[in-house]
Amino acid sequence: MYRSEQKFLVDESTLQIMQNKLEPLLRYDSNQEGDSYRIRSMYFDTYERVSYRENDAGVEERKKYRIRVYDHPKEYIRLEIKHKLKDRNYKESCQLSIAKYEEIMKGTLRFNPKDPRPLRMLYLEMQMNLLRPSVIVEYERSAFIYDTGNVRITFDRNISYSHEFDKFLEDEIPKIPLLPANKHVFEVKYDGILPEFIAQTIETGQLERTTFSKFYFSLLQTEGEGFTW
């Protein structure tokens, strides 16, 4: 099922205001320990950078493959296919064992009809389109949840990128900041219609929506084209 997704680039003071307003109304993600948790994603792309170039061209229907880990990288590894249609998204996902992860990274993955669909699709893309790791993106996320409408509001701070693919499952990896120190990403995701009281709570009159993609801008830096804020 496609979900609506709204993104905003904001400064730290705006995030603090939002957090203070949302804390009495919504609950934190149950998987979150403390104020935030770490997300590290390894994105895949073809040799011709098809995903990157589709993003650059604003292709309305596209998909990205990524492997995602959290605070303790080796404890839970997830493969995801993120499908996008305009400003709506849905994800297919499955858990990966370390053995399967290593097969993917070594290029020794074999097709198994009993594997979950995301893993079968990744195998086909790797064989047919030479899909390979392209960039790692890491950030700290604070997440609020509201069950009605499956609302998820996230604050992503300290966004950085890396190409140290062999260190992906290590606790810490070398990385480069993607945004200036006072710039963060604020996202609102929901099914159907965003509850009115939440829409009113996050409305500041100064929020400007963006199509900001962590994957795209990390690769933009890699390509040496640069960008300004």
Side-chain angles (χ1 to χ4, degrees):
M1 178 179 179
Y2 279 99
R3 286 164 52 77
S4 294
E5 180 179 82
Q6 300 176 9
K7 294 183 181 182
F8 309 90
L9 280 174
V10 298
D11 57 23
E12 180 62 30
S13 62
T14 300
L15 281 194
Q16 288 294 336
I17 291 170
M18 290 291 183
Q19 191 160 346
N20 292 337
K21 292 169 69 176
L22 290 170
E23 278 184 340
L25 303 174
L26 309 183
R27 61 182 173 85
Y28 278 111
D29 187 329
S30 59
N31 295 314
Q32 181 173 312
E33 298 177 6
D35 293 336
S36 64
Y37 62 101
R38 181 179 64 187
I39 293 178
R40 182 185 297 163
S41 298
M42 177 162 53
Y43 288 88
F44 289 70
D45 205 348
T46 66
Y47 178 79
E48 296 83 7
R49 297 279 181 94
V50 169
S51 292
Y52 169 80
R53 303 203 183 283
E54 285 183 344
N55 202 312
D56 184 58
V59 175
E60 291 187 340
E61 186 172 6
R62 57 186 188 268
K63 64 180 181 290
K64 289 196 289 279
Y65 290 79
R66 68 190 180 197
I67 294 177
R68 175 164 283 189
V69 295
Y70 300 90
D71 287 323
H72 310 289
K74 294 181 181 178
E75 287 186 5
Y76 186 75
I77 309 170
R78 189 166 73 183
L79 170 64
E80 297 182 342
I81 308 175
K82 185 174 182 180
H83 300 263
K84 184 176 181 64
L85 178 61
K86 296 184 180 179
D87 62 350
R88 297 175 66 82
N89 301 271
Y90 83 89
K91 290 187 294 188
E92 298 179 79
S93 66
C94 67
Q95 187 171 352
L96 291 178
S97 65
I98 290 182
K100 281 291 185 185
Y101 166 81
E102 290 177 347
E103 288 177 14
I104 292 169
M105 298 304 292
K106 292 176 182 177
T108 59
L109 183 66
R110 295 292 178 263
F111 184 81
N112 184 342
K114 295 182 179 180
D115 280 339
R117 174 183 148 81
L119 192 53
R120 300 196 312 268
M121 295 302 295
L122 177 66
Y123 168 81
L124 293 174
E125 290 281 359
M126 293 181 74
Q127 296 300 311
M128 297 172 62
N129 297 316
L130 301 181
L131 203 69
R132 295 294 185 269
S134 61
V135 71
I136 295 170
V137 177
E138 182 177 302
Y139 48 93
E140 297 166 12
R141 168 166 285 181
S142 300
F144 288 95
I145 305 295
Y146 186 70
D147 293 333
T148 302
N150 193 19
V151 178
R152 185 175 180 84
I153 296 177
T154 56
F155 305 153
D156 295 341
R157 294 178 169 94
N158 301 322
I159 303 170
S160 58
Y161 67 96
S162 174
H163 293 94
E164 301 286 344
F165 303 118
D166 59 331
K167 296 181 171 65
F168 183 70
L169 294 185
E170 295 185 7
D171 288 339
E172 298 294 337
I173 63 173
K175 49 191 181 288
I176 301 169
L178 179 61
L179 295 175
N182 195 38
K183 285 289 185 180
H184 312 293
V185 176
F186 167 48
E187 296 187 21
V188 183
K189 302 174 185 177
Y190 55 93
D191 298 342
I193 299 174
L194 183 66
E196 183 62 25
F197 83 94
I198 296 179
Q200 292 178 355
T201 300
I202 65 174
E203 178 55 51
T204 66
Q206 298 178 330
L207 290 179
E208 294 185 11
R209 289 185 61 176
T210 178
T211 58
F212 180 85
S213 163
K214 303 178 185 76
F215 159 78
Y216 171 77
F217 280 107
S218 294
L219 282 181
L220 186 66
Q221 293 292 78
T222 303
E223 297 248 325
E225 297 174 30
F227 58 96
T228 58
W229 303 99

